[in-house]
Amino acid sequence: MGINIAIDGPAGAGKSTIAKKVAKELSFIYVDTGAMYRAMALYLLEKGISGDEKISEACHDADISIRYENGEQQVILNGKNVTAFLRKEEVGNMASVSSANPEVRAHLLKLQRNLAAENNVVMDGRDIGTTILPNAEVKIFLTASPQARAKRRFLENQQKGICSDYDQLVAEIAQRDRQDMER
Ligand code: C5P
């Protein structure tokens, strides 16, 4: 049985930054659930599968797992290391579409719970403490003001060479918070 730490909270609050630091400090595995959704998207793209019905059928054949080599996260899809392909724009777009499919979410929930049962993990996301690991030993809800989160996004974008408008980022974050709360 693993010890589980769940970090929930809105986008840009610093969940993955904190999760990675905590995992390193405690020698736990940091489970990047977004990377798992991206690996699922890659699987569907490689197989040329689209449309809700076909995705629901095919997603169960994707076995996705996370392991660490020299401190670096490696994502394994059906035995193959796919880490290098996950940050592509088209993979992110497909992840956004396929993550809305309930079968995809149910399948990844199972894989994420298996990882948490077998290892000491730190897992972050919006639904980890509530849906994925409701019995986690430690649950943290991490948030920050829209301004602080927009500043973080702004600096992240700057590092990636993307120029963004700070006021627009604040407005987008506030809008997303409203949508999430109303949902
Ligand atoms: O965080 P990242 O950009 O890698 O996540 C990729 C996509 O996976 C997100 O845009 C979101 O649609 C989905 N996702 C999700 N639930 C999670 C993590 C990611 O639906 N816990």
Side-chain angles (χ1 to χ4, degrees), residues 32-46 63-67 73-78 80-96:
D32 176 354
T33 56
M36 296 180 81
Y37 277 95
R38 284 170 184 267
M40 173 61 78
L42 183 69
Y43 176 77
L44 297 169
L45 285 172
E46 280 180 346
D63 184 36
I64 298 159
S65 157
I66 287 186
R67 66 166 192 242
Q73 172 180 273
Q74 309 295 328
V75 183
I76 312 299
L77 168 63
N78 291 337
K80 189 176 147 213
N81 190 330
V82 294
T83 314
F85 310 107
L86 301 182
R87 301 312 304 179
K88 286 186 190 164
E89 182 85 15
E90 54 166 340
V91 174
N93 291 340
M94 182 60 169
S96 182

Side-chain angles (χ1 to χ4, degrees), residues 132-150:
I132 311 291
L133 304 175
N135 299 319
E137 279 77 9
V138 180
K139 286 186 185 180
I140 294 163
F141 186 84
L142 187 72
T143 190
S145 68
Q147 288 75 13
R149 288 153 56 203

Side-chain angles (χ1 to χ4, degrees), residues 25 28 46 48 51 67 84-85 94 101 118 139 146 164 169-170 174:
E25 186 76 27
F28 279 27
E46 280 180 346
R67 66 166 192 242
F85 310 107
M94 182 60 169
N101 181 298
E118 288 164 10
K139 286 186 185 180
S164 43
L169 288 176
V170 174

Side-chain angles (χ1 to χ4, degrees), residues 7-65:
I7 306 183
D8 288 37
K15 297 187 296 295
S16 67
T17 306
I18 300 276
K20 278 180 207 158
K21 283 190 178 166
V22 170
K24 197 167 173 204
E25 186 76 27
L26 299 175
S27 299
F28 279 27
I29 290 181
Y30 165 55
V31 178
D32 176 354
T33 56
M36 296 180 81
Y37 277 95
R38 284 170 184 267
M40 173 61 78
L42 183 69
Y43 176 77
L44 297 169
L45 285 172
E46 280 180 346
K47 297 261 175 209
I49 294 162
S50 62
D52 242 2
E53 215 170 297
K54 294 222 169 86
I55 290 176
S56 299
E57 240 176 68
C59 69
H60 297 282
D61 296 328
D63 184 36
I64 298 159
S65 157

